[in-house]
Every structure is written in structure tokens, then in C-alpha cells.
Amino acid sequence: MTAQLWCFGESGNAYKAALTMELAGHHWAPVYVDFFNGEARSPAFRALNPMGEVPVFREDGLTLTQSAVIQLHVAERTGRFMGSDRNETLRWLMFDNHRLSGQAGPARFLLNFLPAGKRPAGAAEYLQGRLKAAYKVLDDHLSTRDWIADSAPTIADFACCGYLFYPEPFGFDRKDWPHIDRWLDAISALPGWKHPYDLMPGNPSDRAPKEDA
Amino acid sequence: MTAQLWCFGESGNAYKAALTMELAGHHWAPVYVDFFNGEARSPAFRALNPMGEVPVFREDGLTLTQSAVIQLHVAERTGRFMGSDRNETLRWLMFDNHRLSGQAGPARFLLNFLPAGKRPAGAAEYLQGRLKAAYKVLDDHLSTRDWIADSAPTIADFACCGYLFYPEPFGFDRKDWPHIDRWLDAISALPGWKHPYDLMPGNPSDRAPKEDA
């Protein structure tokens, strides 16, 4: 059976799950969530995921939420991209969640998808300061190795890159981080790789920003 | 052998790992990290954990970082607190990391451990707004159940409570969230439970704030 993934193009968190399935050869189909018109906060979506977030994965009666949980499930089911040390892979998933994507997603949202007048003062600058420390950890880590958690790509790579291919500016410039830059090139050279806007439905050209989220 | 945990009392992230070991009966001893004098950013500590964060766990030659990774390891080793559905437990660990503790830790730090003049404008207010949404998800979830991920306590409970027992004000008031309040009471009634300042060395009375972090 084909897995379903509730997602939308702008979501780096959904991208992590979609990219993992795509590269692992796990058959899946997207279910578009109209986030920018509030669908993720609707009662129907909250019934699917009370956390009010994409991605949501469903297959054969199993429903999973949180990108890392979906990534781990797909890696275990397909036998691909777990890496040789699950703890090492897992710790970078956690790092990504609270220090990298957990700040990059909100920073990008504030700076690109909210009208300037609705941006909470100082928030994006604060997030960018924290992000700089996270980029430095990752860039230093990649200065001596090709991939984050093993000698080959793992779901940790597909997590940490979640927001780093998007074109909207949020303070991340590949030129500032040469090892991250090289590693992103290596990810996008993997067979089957797709940019988030090519992998999932919906992108900024579809609409104007309408709602805080 | 006794596990070592690099930690300090103010760290809710370290508390999650310490509380899990304490309640699971996993023998451990704390190694104090002088965070407020910059030890977590020192070369010696970075050699232990390049991410520059507590907690760090070490036992029998195995080094683990990231609280959730340590919690999962201890749950697997002791056979306690994993819950009957690992995916469900794991998704609440992820929720905690990016929406709850991942915001509560910085908010509490900004409002209590930085001199007012050094606080980035607007940051704490922004984090508090995001936290309110996370408290609501958790409070609603606990309105129909005693524990987060199973019918008994799991490491998901010991993660989500990480910052919620501390006395320093950061905008979380138990009175506002009755189901969270009842659940925190149930956690603190578990045999062997200890408050973070009783479980780990170091607390605000030891020192005055000296350094941004």
C-alpha cells in the first residue's frame, strides 16, 4: 500500500519525511494541507494530529506524526539510512529538532510568510542569533566528514537539511558555511533527490500570505 | 558500573535524563558542569560534546548526548518507562524538544539568568507566545488521560516536565493549566521523585549571573 503524507511545500519538517521516503524508495503520495488558510488548526486536522502540525504519515492503519518519528519508521522498514549507530543518528535528529530546524522554520516563517507589520519585534533576530551557533556546530562537524552520522547518508542528513534548500531568505547563506555548502551539494546529488517545491504540493507562488500561524 | 551524567541543577534538559535514571533505578552519579562560568563552551567540554550542551552520559565506554537519546537508552536498558508503543513515546519526546522544553529553557534563561539589560528585546515574549500553544496541546491531551504516552508513566512524561518544576518565573503558571497541574502532582508523587535542585548539583543560590549563553 502507498503511504500518505499530509504536507505542503513550504514545510521543511514535512520535507524531511518526504525526502526520506523518496530516497529510500518507500512509495508515498502527498495529501496537501492548506496551512496558509489555517487548515492545520482546523478541527478536522486536529482530529488527525492534535499537535496541529505537518507532517502526518498514514499507512495500513498506522498514523505517525513528528518528522523524526516518520523518518525512523521508514528507515527501519526499508533498512535504509539508519546508519551503523542508531544513537548517533538519533542525537543529530534531536539536535536538528531543537536547535536547527526548530529555529530555522520559525525564523523563515516570520521573515517571509508574515506581513512585516505582524512580525513580533525582535523574534527573528533572536532566532537568527541562536541559529548561527547551530550552523557553526554543524559546519565544524562536517569539516572532517562527508555525512553527519555515518560514512554514508542517514536520516540525520535528511533532517538537518530540512530548511536549508529553500530560496526564501532567513539569514542562512551557504557561502558563510563552506562545509555545509559542500554537504548540501552532496545531498542534492543523491539519485532521486528533489527540491522541496518539486517534491511536495504548494509553494509561495500559489498565494499571498493571509494568516499568522 | 555507575553511569556519569554531566549536568547542573538549572538544566531542565539534564533533569530529564537524571530523573529517568533515578526513577528507573539506573545507578548514576552527577558530574557538575559550571555552565554559568562558561564551562559548556570550553574546549575540554566541547571535546566531550561538540554541541556544547548538557546532559552528557557516559558508562562503560559509551558516551551519549541529547536528553532524549539518554532517556531512550536507559529505558531500553532497564526495561522501564518506554511505554507500550515506542512511536507514541517518541513523538512526545520530539514535541517536547522543539515546542515545549526547546522554548521553555531559553525563555526561563532569558528572564532569570540574564541581566535585564542583556536580554534581546522581544525574544522572551515571542517564546512565551509559542509556549502557550504548547501548554494548550499538552493540557488538552492530559484532559482525558493520566499520562502522556501510555496508561503509566513513560520517558515522555519525564521529558515534558523538564522545565515545569522550576521555581523561576518564565510565564508558566500551573493554575492556568489544570490538567498539567494534576499530572505534575502525579509525577512528583512517584516513588523516588526528586526536584531538580535536589537531584543535581548547582542552583541559583550558588552564584550571581555572569555570562550570556
Side-chain angles (χ1 to χ4, degrees):
Chain A
M1 192 182 145
T2 298
Q4 293 175 292
L5 189 77
W6 278 257
C7 63
F8 56 95
E10 291 90 343
S11 170
N13 289 319
Y15 180 57
K16 301 171 197 176
L19 183 63
T20 299
M21 289 194 284
E22 190 75 11
L23 296 180
H26 193 93
H27 293 291
W28 71 286
V31 180
Y32 178 63
V33 176
D34 190 2
F35 174 83
F36 291 94
N37 281 309
E39 184 178 343
R41 300 200 238 165
S42 68
F45 190 85
R46 291 264 188 196
L48 185 66
N49 181 13
M51 295 175 186
E53 296 174 311
V54 302
V56 177
F57 168 100
R58 188 181 276 177
E59 186 176 38
D60 297 333
L62 175 70
T63 301
L64 299 175
T65 82
Q66 294 291 333
S67 59
V69 176
I70 300 167
Q71 290 187 290
L72 285 162
H73 173 78
V74 171
E76 285 176 354
R77 286 287 280 268
T78 62
R80 300 200 62 191
F81 303 125
M82 184 62 88
S84 56
D85 178 351
R86 199 194 63 164
N87 281 329
E88 181 65 11
T89 300
L90 198 50
R91 89 174 173 123
W92 286 97
L93 292 181
M94 304 311 298
F95 170 84
D96 171 63
N97 260 258
H98 81 112
R99 290 189 58 188
L100 189 53
S101 294
Q103 321 280 339
R108 173 166 159 272
F109 179 81
L110 293 173
L111 292 169
N112 294 278
F113 302 137
L114 267 187
K118 292 188 73 178
R119 285 178 206 152
E125 294 73 14
Y126 171 70
L127 294 171
Q128 288 176 321
R130 284 175 62 82
L131 276 165
K132 193 173 272 190
Y135 302 143
K136 174 148 178 45
V137 168
L138 183 59
D139 200 63
D140 286 351
H141 183 66
L142 289 168
S143 69
T144 57
R145 46 190 306 138
D146 291 335
W147 302 101
I148 287 179
D150 201 358
S151 57
T154 69
I155 51 175
D157 298 287
F158 308 149
C160 290
C161 77
Y163 283 90
L164 304 184
F165 287 116
Y166 283 102
E168 299 82 19
F170 60 94
F172 172 72
D173 187 336
R174 288 172 65 152
K175 289 195 307 296
D176 296 337
W177 309 102
H179 306 294
I180 293 176
D181 183 48
R182 187 258 312 144
W183 162 79
L184 288 173
D185 279 342
I187 292 175
S188 57
L190 292 172
W193 178 85
K194 288 183 182 169
H195 187 279
Y197 289 143
D198 297 324
L199 190 57
M200 301 182 292
N203 70 65
S205 68
D206 297 341
R207 38 105 209 131
K210 287 176 184 157
E211 165 158 339
D212 187 339
Chain B
M1 195 183 145
T2 297
Q4 293 175 292
L5 189 76
W6 279 257
C7 63
F8 57 94
E10 291 90 342
S11 171
N13 289 319
Y15 180 57
K16 302 171 196 177
L19 184 63
T20 299
M21 289 193 285
E22 190 75 11
L23 296 181
H26 193 93
H27 293 290
W28 71 285
V31 181
Y32 178 64
V33 176
D34 191 0
F35 174 84
F36 291 94
N37 282 310
E39 184 179 343
R41 300 201 238 164
S42 68
F45 190 84
R46 292 264 188 194
L48 186 66
N49 181 14
M51 295 175 187
E53 296 175 311
V54 301
V56 176
F57 168 101
R58 187 181 277 177
E59 186 176 38
D60 296 333
L62 175 70
T63 301
L64 299 175
T65 82
Q66 294 290 333
S67 59
V69 175
I70 300 168
Q71 290 187 290
L72 286 162
H73 173 78
V74 171
E76 285 176 354
R77 286 287 281 268
T78 63
R80 299 201 63 190
F81 302 126
M82 184 62 88
S84 55
D85 178 351
R86 198 195 65 164
N87 281 329
E88 181 65 11
T89 300
L90 198 50
R91 88 172 174 125
W92 286 98
L93 292 181
M94 304 311 298
F95 170 84
D96 172 62
N97 261 258
H98 80 112
R99 291 190 57 188
L100 190 53
S101 295
Q103 321 280 338
R108 171 167 161 271
F109 179 81
L110 292 174
L111 292 169
N112 294 278
F113 302 136
L114 266 189
K118 292 187 73 178
R119 287 178 204 151
E125 295 71 14
Y126 170 70
L127 294 171
Q128 288 176 321
R130 284 175 62 82
L131 277 164
K132 193 173 273 191
Y135 301 144
K136 176 149 177 44
V137 167
L138 183 59
D139 199 64
D140 286 351
H141 184 66
L142 289 167
S143 69
T144 58
R145 47 190 306 138
D146 291 335
W147 303 101
I148 287 179
D150 201 357
S151 57
T154 68
I155 51 175
D157 298 287
F158 308 149
C160 289
C161 77
Y163 283 90
L164 304 184
F165 288 116
Y166 283 102
E168 299 84 16
F170 60 93
F172 172 71
D173 187 335
R174 286 172 66 151
K175 288 197 309 294
D176 297 336
W177 309 102
H179 306 294
I180 293 176
D181 183 48
R182 187 258 311 144
W183 162 79
L184 289 173
D185 279 342
I187 292 175
S188 57
L190 292 172
W193 178 85
K194 288 184 183 169
H195 187 277
Y197 290 143
D198 297 325
L199 189 57
M200 301 181 294
N203 69 66
S205 67
D206 296 343
R207 37 105 208 129
K210 287 176 184 158
E211 166 157 338
D212 188 341

